[in-house]
Amino acid sequence: MTHRILILGGTTEARQLAGKLARREDFSVTLSLAGRTESPIAQGVPVRAGGFGGAAGLAAYLGQEHIHLLIDATHPYAARISANAAEAARQAGAPILALRRPGWETVAGDRWTLVDNVAEAVRALGAASRRVFLAIGRQEAGAFEAAPQHSYLIRSVDPVEPKLTVPDALYLLARGPFPEADERALLEKHGINAVVSKNSGGDATYGKIAAARALGIEVIMVRRPPLPDVPSAETVEALVANIDHFFEPVAERGV
């Protein structure tokens, strides 16, 4: 039997997972991308771009396409998509697994100021002018128009459009991974004294956090949003093991 799997992606791990599962003859894998990135990396499996129309639309898709397993491998901050995925799985009666990359933890020397959202991050920068490295992607950069007194270095995969209506902003287009040495050079070159980041977890973008620690720079860290309670794994390897266990015949599981 061929098991039909839908992966909700947009992360490095989602791409790695799709690649591993695509090599299996017993799996038929589709990767769904939200379509926010203009030039996504080639994925190696059939890709569906764009939304489903909320939980109800995704539930209908799961039924129409006879999906045997839904995997939520979206970004830790894609809370609405994760909530829709959990609800769609419930409505469709489909099993769901989540790939949840662990968040970063503070270590000695870190100067983190924890906030709950981007609006709080704007306020946490304070009234005095600072040189700020915005490393939160393009979608929420506009919130910092509320603090035009700061100078901004803004990095994103795709261009920030429209540009921010602030007097001093420099834009960098780049896709990770970003090694610590390169991040340290970037922070020093631009005289950065505050970094605004989301707690994405993983190694690919941790370089800026390590570089800020080495340079004694404050990091305004946006906490992760709450996510639905569904069966999950922290690594691609662990999730693949969970998938194999899920599709094992009952007799082989020893149930």
Side-chain angles (χ1 to χ4, degrees):
M1 177 182 178
T2 299
H3 303 294
R4 298 174 63 82
I5 299 175
L6 175 65
I7 302 173
L8 304 180
T11 59
T12 301
E13 288 89 348
R15 190 169 67 250
Q16 293 169 346
L17 177 65
K20 280 183 177 292
L21 298 183
R23 294 195 288 269
R24 298 274 295 269
E25 292 185 359
D26 52 338
F27 294 151
S28 173
V29 180
T30 299
L31 180 60
S32 172
L33 300 176
R36 295 193 177 106
T37 300
E38 293 171 4
S39 53
I41 297 170
Q43 307 294 329
V45 298
V47 172
R48 182 193 182 283
F52 291 91
L58 177 53
Y61 180 92
L62 296 176
Q64 291 161 6
E65 298 298 320
H66 306 290
I67 299 299
H68 299 116
L69 176 64
L70 175 63
I71 298 175
D72 176 10
T74 56
H75 194 273
Y77 287 79
R80 180 176 296 176
I81 298 176
S82 290
N84 284 346
E87 175 60 18
R90 188 192 67 79
Q91 289 183 18
I96 181 172
L97 295 173
L99 182 54
R100 300 246 171 101
R101 177 197 307 164
W104 299 319
E105 303 283 346
T106 54
V107 299
D110 279 325
R111 294 179 54 207
W112 287 13
T113 298
L114 296 173
V115 297
D116 285 329
N117 52 54
V118 171
E120 282 189 16
V122 175
R123 293 192 290 273
L125 288 172
S129 176
R130 304 178 75 175
R131 299 192 63 81
V132 181
F133 179 35
L134 280 191
I136 58 169
R138 63 173 179 161
Q139 289 184 280
E140 295 181 275
F144 291 85
E145 291 181 336
Q149 70 272 28
H150 305 302
S151 299
Y152 293 102
L153 175 65
I154 304 169
R155 183 169 67 196
S156 57
V157 174
D158 296 311
V160 176
E161 298 290 354
K163 297 282 195 288
L164 271 58
T165 56
V166 297
D168 188 1
L170 180 65
Y171 300 87
L172 288 179
L173 290 181
R175 190 194 299 268
F178 301 107
E180 179 184 346
D182 295 352
E183 297 290 69
R184 181 167 179 162
L186 182 72
L187 297 178
E188 290 183 315
K189 175 183 176 183
H190 294 279
I192 297 299
N193 55 33
V195 174
V196 180
S197 175
K198 293 179 175 180
N199 193 340
S200 300
D203 297 330
T205 59
Y206 186 70
K208 63 179 176 287
I209 307 302
R213 178 170 63 243
L215 296 170
I217 295 172
E218 180 186 11
V219 177
I220 312 293
M221 185 69 76
V222 182
R223 290 187 180 94
R224 291 184 171 192
L227 296 174
D229 183 15
V230 301
S232 63
E234 293 187 347
T235 66
V236 171
E237 292 72 21
L239 192 68
V240 170
N242 285 0
I243 294 167
D244 281 334
H245 180 71
F246 176 78
F247 285 127
E248 275 175 7
V250 172
E252 291 182 20
R253 293 188 204 170
V255 174

